[in-house]
Amino acid sequence: MATRKYEQRLRAEAAQETRRRILDAVYQRLREAPSEPVSIDRIARMARVARPTVYLVFGSRAGLFDAVGADLLQRGGFDRMLQASAHPDAREALRGAIHAIVEMYAAHRDVLRVLASMALLDTAAVGGAVQRMEQGRATGMAELAQHLDKQGSLRPDVTLDQATDLLWLLTSFDSFDLLHSGRNLPLDQTSATLTTTAERSLCR
C-alpha cells in the first residue's frame, strides 16, 4: 500500500511538472515572439513533450490559454487583491485593491500586453481567456463599488453604476500601462495616480 501511494505521488508530481513546463513555454514564446501566433507544436517542443500531451493536460487550445490566465492571476497576486478589496473600511479597500492590481499587472506586464493584443485576433482561444479574466475583474469592481456605496463613501452625484464603470476603467490593464509604460511612471506613482483619481472622482 505504501509503495502504491508513493508511486501515485510521483505520478502527480510529474504531471504538475509537465503542466508547469508547458505554461512556462507559453510565457517564453509570448515574450520572444509577441507578434507571432502561438503554435501548439512549438510550445510542445519548447516544453519537451509530445503535442498530444498538451491536449491531454489542457483539453484544447482554449483550455491552455484559460490555464495561462489563471496562472497569471495566481502568480501575480490575485489573492492579495481579493484580500485588499475585502477590507472592512471601504476607502482602504479601494486603495488596497488598486495597489494590488498595479502590482499584479507589473509582475507580468509583457505577457499581459501580448495577450491583450492577441485576443483581438484569436477570439476563440485567447479572446475567450482574456474575456473570462475581465469578467472576474468586472465582478470585483462591482462589489467594491457596492462596498463604497453601503458605507456612504460615494459622492451624492455619483451613482452605483457610474462608480462601477469608473473603477472598471481605472483598474484596466490599459490604464496601468498608459501610466507605467507610456508615461514611465514608477509603480508607486502609477498606483497613487490611479488611487487619487478614483477617490477624487468617487468619494466624498
Side-chain angles (χ1 to χ4, degrees):
M1 182 65 71
T3 301
R4 177 179 295 180
K5 288 183 178 179
Y6 176 70
E7 291 174 347
Q8 290 174 341
R9 181 170 62 82
L10 288 180
R11 284 197 294 270
E13 290 174 353
Q16 282 299 108
E17 181 183 347
T18 298
R19 179 184 177 87
R20 181 75 265 158
R21 287 208 315 272
I22 295 171
L23 291 174
D24 287 344
V26 175
Y27 291 145
Q28 181 181 343
R29 186 59 182 162
L30 290 174
R31 291 189 177 100
E32 290 178 349
S35 61
E36 297 180 12
V38 175
S39 163
I40 297 298
D41 286 337
R42 184 65 174 267
I43 295 301
R45 289 197 299 272
M46 293 172 67
R48 305 187 307 280
V49 299
R51 186 175 189 271
T53 300
V54 178
Y55 290 101
L56 180 64
V57 174
F58 298 101
S60 64
R61 179 181 173 85
L64 172 60
F65 280 102
D66 273 340
V68 169
D71 192 62
L72 280 171
L73 293 178
Q74 181 182 10
R75 297 173 79 182
F78 186 66
D79 288 345
R80 290 196 300 274
M81 190 275 287
L82 292 178
Q83 291 173 0
S85 62
H87 194 285
D89 184 288
R91 293 284 286 265
E92 287 300 321
L94 172 64
R95 296 167 187 144
I98 291 177
H99 182 72
I101 286 173
V102 166
E103 288 187 329
M104 184 171 67
Y105 288 151
H108 297 286
R109 184 265 169 195
D110 293 343
V111 172
L112 287 167
R113 169 49 63 202
V114 176
L115 286 176
S117 300
M118 287 179 61
L120 301 175
L121 303 175
D122 190 352
T123 55
V126 185
V130 171
Q131 184 180 39
R132 282 182 281 278
M133 290 171 63
E134 290 292 78
Q135 286 173 345
R137 183 170 66 86
T139 299
M141 292 308 101
E143 292 174 352
L144 182 54
Q146 291 171 2
H147 193 15
L148 290 164
D149 186 43
K150 288 178 181 178
Q151 290 196 359
S153 298
L154 292 181
R155 287 170 35 185
D157 59 336
V158 175
T159 68
L160 182 59
D161 285 343
Q162 288 171 335
T164 301
D165 290 342
L166 186 62
L167 288 172
W168 164 260
L169 171 65
L170 293 176
T171 59
S172 68
F173 174 77
D174 284 335
S175 292
F176 156 79
D177 206 35
L178 283 169
L179 291 172
H180 183 55
S181 301
R183 297 291 295 168
N184 294 316
L185 297 186
L187 289 184
D188 57 348
Q189 193 172 346
T190 298
S191 178
T193 299
L194 293 171
T195 302
T196 299
T197 302
E199 290 194 280
R200 289 179 177 175
S201 301
L202 299 176
C203 300
R204 296 175 183 269

